[in-house]
């Protein structure tokens, strides 16, 4: 079994971007709208800011107070209209009652570098150019990096969220995989996941996927990030159990996470390149 290293893939993507930015000679600008003090979100913001700075992308954090739904929507709207901003990301959790897709409606699709807008999702599903959520794209990057041929394979995704499961299903369909999406009401999960040549776990449940869920020889991509009682971060996959069955597994941390950040920055560079 091989552990697929997301950190080195992310570093390679950042290296290409750094070169492109230096040749272009102007710094693309990414803005993040934040309405939470959630520690996991703060950590993610820190890693985006650090990675952006390291390759010459300017990063702006726009704070809205928690519970201030109108504040979030107004900031997204004004950043969309701001010619000095190339990419916009809206951090979660959002004020209660505000869905990410609703917030995403305020983001200009040309700047929607994390695929939050329903317009981006519709374009993606229609086969038109669009930014997909960075995490879903990161899964495809890791599969390509692993040399997986996706045409005709059985791909099973556990999780149907708007940010991971659903857009990833569209991306895998575009790669000609045969796609099944599982969720909390799926009957007999091991039976369905056990058919997968490519299994993607994105449920947010520690240790959900064990050896009995995995087809011998499968590639397993672990999107989950779950905090344990002692503060460690683990995925949805029981890696120790699965390593006897799968050929490739992504680690947590160090798998999907760093590639997600790198892909997000790549989207910012693409948005800047396409800007009028
Ligand atoms: P989410 O919105 O909570 O969605 C979780 C999905 O998993 C839902 O569709 C849910 O089903 C399904 N699910 C939950 N328990 C299940 C079970 N026992 N069996 C089968 N399906 C089950 O979460 P998300 O935002 O998609 O994130 C998923 C995980 O990925 C989280 O751990 C999150 O932290 C992580 N994540 C990582 C990155 C990264 O860059 N590394 C980025 C985004 C998310 P229902 O729809 O029926 O409720």
């Amino acid at each position: 079994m091989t552990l697929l290293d997301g950190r080195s893939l992310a570093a390679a993507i950042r290296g290409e971007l750094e070169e492109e930015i230096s040749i272009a000679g102007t710094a693309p600008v990414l803005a993040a709208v934040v309405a939470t003090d959630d520690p996991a979100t703060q950590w993610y913001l820190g890693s985006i800011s650090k990675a952006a700075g390291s390759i010459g992308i300017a990063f702006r954090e726009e704070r809205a107070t928690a519970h201030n739904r109108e504040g979030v929507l107004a900031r997204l709207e004004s950043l969309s209209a701001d010619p000095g901003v190339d990419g916009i990301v809206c951090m979660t959790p959002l004020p209660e009652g505000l869905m990410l897709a609703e917030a995403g409606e305020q983001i200009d699709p040309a700047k929607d570098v994390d695929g939050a807008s329903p317009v981006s999702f519709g374009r993606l599903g229609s086969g038109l150019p669009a930014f997909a959520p960075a995490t879903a794209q990161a899964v495809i990057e890791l599969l390509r990096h692993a040399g997986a041929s996706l045409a005709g394979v059985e791909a099973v995704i556990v999780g149907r969220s708007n940010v991971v499961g659903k857009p990833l299903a569209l991306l895998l369909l575009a790669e000609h995989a045969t796609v099944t999406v599982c969720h909390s009401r799926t009957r007999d999960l091991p039976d369905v996941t056990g058919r997968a040549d490519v299994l993607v776990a994105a449920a947010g449940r520690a240790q959900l996927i064990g050896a009995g869920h995995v087809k011998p020889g499968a590639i397993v991509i672990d999107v989950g990030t779950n905090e344990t009682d002692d503060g460690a971060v683990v995925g949805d996959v029981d890696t120790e159990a699965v390593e006897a069955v799968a050929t490739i597994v992504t680690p947590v941390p160090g798998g999907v996470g760093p590639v997600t950040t790198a892909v997000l920055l790549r989207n910012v560079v693409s948005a800047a390149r396409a800007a009028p």
Side-chain angles (χ1 to χ4, degrees), residues 80 99 121 183 251 256 267:
S80 287
M99 287 171 68
F121 188 81
H183 45 77
V256 174
N267 289 348

Side-chain angles (χ1 to χ4, degrees), residues 135 158-161 163-164 183-184 202-205 208 223-225 257 260:
T135 306
V158 184
R160 58 174 164 179
S161 73
V163 286
V164 190
H183 45 77
S184 64
R205 299 279 181 275
L208 176 68
V223 178
T225 51
T260 296

Side-chain angles (χ1 to χ4, degrees), residues 29-33 58-62 79 82 84-85:
V29 178
L30 169 64
V33 173
F59 181 63
R60 250 167 78 177
E61 203 176 304
E62 294 271 331
L79 289 168
D82 184 343
V85 171

Side-chain angles (χ1 to χ4, degrees), residues 17 63 78 81 106 193 256:
L17 295 176
R63 284 253 154 203
S78 76
Q106 304 302 321
T193 58
V256 174

Side-chain angles (χ1 to χ4, degrees), residues 134-224:
T135 306
Q137 280 183 66
V139 172
I140 300 291
E141 288 295 333
L142 280 157
L143 288 168
R144 286 199 185 123
H145 183 60
S149 60
L150 295 172
V153 307
E154 291 266 358
V156 176
I157 305 163
V158 184
R160 58 174 164 179
S161 73
N162 288 348
V163 286
V164 190
K166 282 185 208 160
L168 179 58
L170 296 175
L171 293 175
L172 284 166
L173 278 174
E175 297 286 336
H176 312 292
T178 301
V179 184
T180 304
V181 182
C182 303
H183 45 77
S184 64
R185 313 280 180 92
T186 297
R187 276 189 236 133
D188 201 347
L189 188 66
D191 182 56
V192 183
T193 58
R195 296 201 299 262
D197 303 302
V198 170
L199 174 59
V200 182
R205 299 279 181 275
Q207 314 278 306
L208 176 68
I209 304 298
H213 293 78
V214 177
K215 177 178 171 177
I219 298 175
V220 181
I221 307 287
D222 192 354
V223 178

